[in-house]
Amino acid sequence: MDNVNNIALTCTVTTDDTNSSTNWTLPTDTKIYYYEGVTYIAYYPYKEGISITPTQTTQDIVKSLVENNDLQPNENQSTTDGYASSDLMIATGSANASNILNVTLSLKFEHQFSLLIMTPQVGQTNLVPKTNSPNTDAGFTYRSNTKLYNVDPNAANVVFGNVTPLKMSDGSFRAIMKANTLQNLSVKYTT
């Protein structure tokens, strides 16, 4: 409507000691008008060239965004940018015009894809603490198969199916993926 289709809004969050506010800025010389009964649709991350058919239902528009080839998760998510740009979020909403001088539009974004987290672990057999006397175990009795699992710091070359995930500071690996790709997913890595 009004030649507004797929525009980039810039979000600015300001915070002080008592509250925070969120403001959206339109591109220069762009306006969004209020229409009663119209559903507004927003998505993140923004990409140029995405178009929708405004005569479709809201459900069909959301489906077309989720299935759009330009909005699919990246195969290489090993960088923060590659990971973040894979996280498609969509929000829909109708404007509140109870005060026509201050029309507001509230949007609650929802993730459209799944987050897969893997933490490679290595098992270490517990060793029985010894005392100064030979052949004594300081009073502890361990089962022979007792293991302690820790994050494997040597995990490398991690791949979820055909996606290279982002390594986090806690040693885990994360990737954004379509839910239908998770069934029978192979996860590979080397140490």
Side-chain angles (χ1 to χ4, degrees), residues 37-58:
V38 168
T39 300
Y40 296 84
I41 300 171
Y43 72 94
Y44 172 87
Y46 172 79
K47 293 209 177 167
E48 288 187 29
I50 302 296
S51 63
I52 60 168
T53 306
T55 57
Q56 291 181 313
T57 66
T58 300

Side-chain angles (χ1 to χ4, degrees), residues 70-85:
D70 294 329
L71 298 174
Q72 298 305 301
N74 297 315
E75 285 188 6
N76 184 355
Q77 297 180 29
S78 62
T79 65
T80 304
D81 287 341
Y83 173 75
S85 65

Side-chain angles (χ1 to χ4, degrees), residues 1-2 32-40 54 58 93-100 103-105:
M1 293 188 146
D2 301 318
I32 297 178
Y33 294 98
Y34 164 72
Y35 293 96
E36 187 174 345
V38 168
T39 300
Y40 296 84
T58 300
S94 298
N96 179 350
S98 56
N99 176 355
I100 199 65
V103 178
T104 58
L105 175 62

Side-chain angles (χ1 to χ4, degrees), residues 6 13 76 84 154 173:
N6 195 39
V13 178
N76 184 355
N154 299 315
F173 292 83

Side-chain angles (χ1 to χ4, degrees), residues 11-15 20-23:
C11 178
T12 305
V13 178
T14 55
T15 305
S20 66
S21 64
T22 304
N23 293 306

